[in-house]
Amino acid sequence: MSAISSLFNKFSCALLALAALSTANAAHAEQKRCLSECKPRIGIVSAFGAEADLLLEQTQRKHDWRINGNRFTTGVLRGNPVVIVLSGVSMVNATMVTQLMLDHFHVERLLMSGIAGGVNPANHVGDVVVPESWAMPMEVYWNGDGSLPTACGKAGDVSCLGLKLATENGKVRPDFQFDTPGGKVSSGLFMRDSFVMNVANAPQGEFRFEFQADAQMLAVARSLQPVLATCGPKNPALCVTAQPALKVGGRGISGTAFLANAGYRTYLHDTLQAELVDMETAAFAQVAYANGVPFIAFRSVSDLAGGNDFKDVGAFFGSGLAETNEANVTLAFLEAWKRRR
């Protein structure tokens, strides 16, 4: 072999090795999703200021990152490396900011912390609910009447439109009905499943009605025995009469509508056995599922959505009770999670 051939072969081998290293590094970075920082962290998302502020106050070694205008704060919270962000209210904001967090940081687990409206009338202001699953029942097919849609040839079939109606035990879930002086009137609003694409189900994707919280994180949440306040810090004179409690289990729901309709709230509880409703968590849960990241959500009841029948509703708005209890449970969970690790 000539000296030139030998040199060429060595050069070729070096190029191949460099290409392999570059591919491995790219795959490693893709796996970690860390455009800004690659330290493993728990990602915490809250919808608005009062919720996040209570956690940020407790965070140590804070460092702020500005990404597309959003402030992400890294640090250590109750012994756990975390990254905290304020999403802003709404499903779209929660979706965008959660995905942005996953792209820029190495988030091993996700946690949503905030307040929500009560759907189950057995829940009280100040209770902290940790649902096992989250759904989006306001993703609907709006039919002209209460009959099952027949867009694709048979009752209940909308597959030719790229859609799937939500079912339970093989039957389409009933549409919402308005109460009128003349009796019930069908709205034609039929719940739909959400389409999700990820590595595990590609290229077909799948339809899902709800997204399950992580079993390990739920187990830790069930072990907590937090002390929950009856009076909030903003106005200690405003207190609830029922001792707030931590409740783990059931279904949470989210939607783009701010729910102020008692009839629809009753329908959601009767049809889905929903515990509470907000405008972010189910979207956050879908992003977590699509990216293969385990999640959990802590939501404290602020009022009974769509009604004035919570006599203690003023305790939330006047004293900050709900967000205080939610933050206390979140902090207790992080302490327990650190001990478990």
Side-chain angles (χ1 to χ4, degrees), residues 119-138:
V119 174
N120 184 348
N123 293 331
H124 301 91
V125 170
D127 286 351
V128 179
V129 183
V130 189
E132 294 175 332
S133 66
W134 286 86
M136 290 177 273
M138 293 176 194

Side-chain angles (χ1 to χ4, degrees), residues 13-318:
C13 289
L15 286 177
L16 289 173
L18 183 62
L21 180 61
S22 176
T23 302
N25 287 339
H28 189 57
E30 174 65 22
Q31 182 182 7
K32 286 191 173 183
R33 306 179 182 90
C34 48
L35 297 176
S36 292
E37 188 213 56
C38 289
K39 180 180 177 64
R41 297 184 183 276
I42 295 175
I44 302 176
V45 180
S46 293
F48 65 92
E51 300 167 341
D53 290 345
L54 293 170
L55 301 179
L56 288 169
E57 288 172 2
Q58 301 288 323
T59 303
Q60 300 175 332
R61 301 202 294 273
K62 288 183 284 191
H63 176 75
D64 286 346
W65 307 72
R66 288 287 178 179
I67 303 172
N68 196 27
N70 298 279
R71 185 183 74 170
F72 293 82
T73 302
T74 55
V76 178
L77 185 57
R78 291 297 194 266
N80 298 275
V82 298
V83 53
I84 303 172
V85 68
L86 194 66
S87 69
V89 174
S90 93
M91 302 284 276
V92 175
N93 286 333
T95 301
M96 292 192 301
V97 170
T98 303
Q99 187 62 58
L100 201 61
M101 174 185 280
L102 293 177
D103 289 339
H104 281 264
F105 300 91
H106 181 188
V107 175
E108 294 185 317
R109 291 178 180 271
L110 280 165
L111 188 155
M112 173 69 80
S113 181
I115 61 175
V119 174
N120 184 348
N123 293 331
H124 301 91
V125 170
D127 286 351
V128 179
V129 183
V130 189
E132 294 175 332
S133 66
W134 286 86
M136 290 177 273
M138 293 176 194
E139 294 283 327
V140 298
Y141 182 104
W142 197 347
N143 208 22
D145 53 36
S147 62
L148 287 180
T150 57
C152 302
K154 61 180 181 180
D157 183 11
V158 292
S159 59
C160 62
L161 304 176
L163 306 174
K164 183 178 181 296
L165 298 183
T167 60
E168 183 179 25
N169 298 324
K171 295 183 178 180
V172 174
R173 294 182 182 274
D175 71 327
F176 170 58
Q177 296 184 337
F178 294 99
D179 285 316
T180 71
K184 297 275 188 181
V185 175
S186 291
S187 68
L189 295 169
F190 289 92
M191 301 179 195
R192 293 190 295 105
D193 288 354
S194 296
F195 178 77
V196 189
M197 179 77 77
N198 62 18
V199 172
N201 62 35
Q204 292 83 12
E206 64 177 309
F207 287 96
R208 297 183 67 87
F209 181 67
E210 58 191 343
F211 301 91
Q212 304 294 326
D214 179 64
Q216 293 180 354
M217 299 174 86
L218 286 169
V220 171
R222 288 190 176 95
S223 73
L224 303 178
Q225 295 181 323
V227 177
L228 299 181
T230 56
C231 305
K234 295 179 182 178
N235 188 345
L238 289 175
C239 302
V240 292
T241 56
Q243 172 61 49
L246 171 64
K247 302 179 180 181
V248 182
R251 176 184 285 134
I253 59 173
S254 306
T256 55
F258 186 96
L259 182 54
N261 184 300
Y264 193 68
R265 181 195 71 218
T266 300
Y267 162 75
L268 292 173
H269 183 246
D270 292 346
T271 305
L272 301 177
Q273 297 74 54
E275 295 291 331
L276 39 71
V277 58
D278 65 31
M279 299 176 67
E280 297 85 26
T281 306
F284 159 92
Q286 181 167 339
V287 174
Y289 178 80
N291 287 273
V293 179
F295 81 91
I296 194 169
F298 299 91
R299 287 289 192 174
S300 186
V301 178
S302 61
D303 66 309
L304 191 60
N308 297 318
D309 35 358
F310 261 4
K311 64 179 181 180
D312 292 325
V313 66
F316 161 63
F317 293 104

